[in-house]
Amino acid sequence: MVGLISKEFIAKAEDGADRILRQGKHILPHIARLCLISTFIEDGIRMWVQWGEQRDYMNDSWDCGWFIASLFVVINLVGQLGGCVMVLIRRRVGIACAVLASLIIIQTVAYSIIWDVKFLLRNFALGGGLLLLLAEARNDARSMFAGVPMLDERNPKSYLQLSGRILLVLMFASLVRFELAFFSVVQNVIGWFLMLLIAVGYKTKLSALLLVSFLFVLNVYQNPFWNYASHRAIRDFLKYDFFQAMSVIGGLLLVVALGPGGVSVDNYKKKW
């Protein structure tokens, strides 16, 4: 009896999610892309606003001289904002993702992130978000050849989606706060449960929508950087965490828009 009720509840929840997706199917991909690349936009703007500080930091850390340090800031500023514009206007998305991925690697080395597991996981996960953007670009290309049969459902796009979903788990892992407080334990259990469902591609769209709602509320509650003056260091830390979480939300929204792909439990269930 309990199992029947739970199945009916899940079925109703999936119907509700489908109605939301049908109503927002035209705007959802745009919101997803903007959220996903928001951390690049924020970092690019920070390069402009904190030009002197970033240049001096690189010069002090690597003793590379004023010119090389300034060149580093310029490359990050132009590369991140330019790549984001290309993604948003849907032009040369593959090149834009390659540029942003290259900047992730450069920053990982330049800021010595490679020795910080938490930040390294976040950079890997940003790469997963870029893989989802590539999968979406492939989806757009396929739409130009609607009706042409595909020989294998497990095409490169499906593996890009699988890789993106798995790397999103890394991003979520870096956002988890391991505390023994009751509320923290509950939110971690709920978040991990939904994240694992998304990783394997089971009830993917419903799980992703629930996790988007859950993460958005937590993000606004835990990272209210707007409550602090611009000169306080905590503002920069909270802002960084806020936009990193928004990138996870953007990746999840892309999963909702694209579906789980061919390599997923949801897809295999269709054959059973």
Side-chain angles (χ1 to χ4, degrees), residues 82-193:
C84 289
V85 170
M86 292 169 69
V87 168
L88 291 176
I89 65 175
R90 313 299 294 142
R91 292 290 182 271
R92 306 288 185 182
V93 175
I95 294 175
C97 289
V99 169
L100 294 174
S102 299
L103 292 175
I104 290 175
I105 296 172
I106 291 172
Q107 289 192 5
T108 299
V109 176
Y111 292 113
S112 300
I113 292 174
I114 195 170
W115 309 117
D116 189 316
V117 175
K118 179 179 179 180
F119 288 102
L120 186 62
L121 286 177
R122 291 188 177 187
N123 279 2
F124 272 121
L126 284 177
L130 296 179
L131 288 178
L132 290 172
L133 287 174
L134 281 176
E136 187 197 21
R138 281 180 171 269
N139 193 54
D140 290 344
R142 280 187 59 189
S143 67
M144 296 175 62
F145 302 97
V148 178
M150 300 297 294
L151 296 178
D152 185 5
E153 286 185 330
R154 292 177 295 179
N155 53 70
K157 175 201 164 192
S158 295
Y159 289 107
L160 286 174
Q161 289 173 266
L162 173 63
S163 301
R165 294 200 315 269
I166 292 174
L167 288 173
L168 280 178
V169 175
L170 296 181
M171 175 70 90
F172 181 77
S174 72
L175 296 175
V176 170
R177 299 182 179 182
F178 294 100
E179 300 173 355
L180 294 179
F182 176 76
F183 180 71
S184 295
V185 173
V186 170
Q187 75 181 43
N188 288 343
V189 170
I190 294 173
W192 272 113
F193 176 71

Side-chain angles (χ1 to χ4, degrees), residues 45-55 73 230 236:
I45 294 173
R46 181 162 53 86
M47 289 291 171
W48 173 260
V49 175
Q50 299 179 358
W51 180 288
E53 293 94 325
Q54 294 295 322
R55 180 198 61 211
V73 178
S230 58
D236 287 334

Side-chain angles (χ1 to χ4, degrees), residues 2-270:
V2 175
L4 181 61
I5 293 175
S6 63
K7 287 182 179 179
E8 290 179 354
F9 176 77
I10 292 174
K12 289 181 179 179
E14 287 183 313
D15 289 340
D18 286 337
R19 284 196 297 272
I20 293 173
L21 294 177
R22 283 195 298 270
Q23 293 173 358
K25 64 180 180 180
H26 297 297
I27 193 172
L28 181 62
H30 300 289
I31 296 175
R33 288 191 292 269
L34 180 60
C35 289
L36 200 155
I37 63 174
S38 62
T39 190
F40 293 105
I41 295 174
E42 187 274 332
D43 195 53
I45 294 173
R46 181 162 53 86
M47 289 291 171
W48 173 260
V49 175
Q50 299 179 358
W51 180 288
E53 293 94 325
Q54 294 295 322
R55 180 198 61 211
D56 293 342
Y57 175 83
M58 292 308 302
N59 189 24
D60 294 340
S61 299
W62 292 92
D63 194 23
C64 56
W66 180 89
F67 178 76
I68 298 297
S70 297
L71 186 61
F72 171 83
V73 178
V74 170
I75 290 173
N76 278 274
L77 169 64
V78 175
Q80 289 187 108
L81 295 183
C84 289
V85 170
M86 292 169 69
V87 168
L88 291 176
I89 65 175
R90 313 299 294 142
R91 292 290 182 271
R92 306 288 185 182
V93 175
I95 294 175
C97 289
V99 169
L100 294 174
S102 299
L103 292 175
I104 290 175
I105 296 172
I106 291 172
Q107 289 192 5
T108 299
V109 176
Y111 292 113
S112 300
I113 292 174
I114 195 170
W115 309 117
D116 189 316
V117 175
K118 179 179 179 180
F119 288 102
L120 186 62
L121 286 177
R122 291 188 177 187
N123 279 2
F124 272 121
L126 284 177
L130 296 179
L131 288 178
L132 290 172
L133 287 174
L134 281 176
E136 187 197 21
R138 281 180 171 269
N139 193 54
D140 290 344
R142 280 187 59 189
S143 67
M144 296 175 62
F145 302 97
V148 178
M150 300 297 294
L151 296 178
D152 185 5
E153 286 185 330
R154 292 177 295 179
N155 53 70
K157 175 201 164 192
S158 295
Y159 289 107
L160 286 174
Q161 289 173 266
L162 173 63
S163 301
R165 294 200 315 269
I166 292 174
L167 288 173
L168 280 178
V169 175
L170 296 181
M171 175 70 90
F172 181 77
S174 72
L175 296 175
V176 170
R177 299 182 179 182
F178 294 100
E179 300 173 355
L180 294 179
F182 176 76
F183 180 71
S184 295
V185 173
V186 170
Q187 75 181 43
N188 288 343
V189 170
I190 294 173
W192 272 113
F193 176 71
L194 293 173
M195 199 74 237
L196 291 176
L197 289 180
I198 294 165
V200 300
Y202 180 69
K203 304 291 183 183
T204 313
K205 292 188 176 182
L206 175 60
S207 300
L209 275 179
L210 289 174
L211 191 53
V212 163
S213 303
F214 184 64
L215 280 181
F216 182 77
V217 172
L218 281 181
N219 195 27
V220 172
Y221 173 73
Q222 293 180 342
N223 301 308
F225 66 89
W226 50 86
N227 288 337
Y228 298 88
S230 58
H231 65 274
R232 296 187 61 182
I234 190 173
R235 178 185 173 92
D236 287 334
F237 286 113
L238 291 177
K239 183 189 289 187
Y240 177 81
D241 283 345
F242 180 87
F243 284 104
Q244 289 281 314
M246 289 305 296
S247 290
V248 177
I249 289 172
L252 292 170
L253 287 175
L254 265 187
V255 170
V256 172
L258 293 174
V263 187
S264 63
V265 174
D266 285 344
N267 186 64
Y268 291 138
K269 281 178 61 181
K270 298 175 183 177

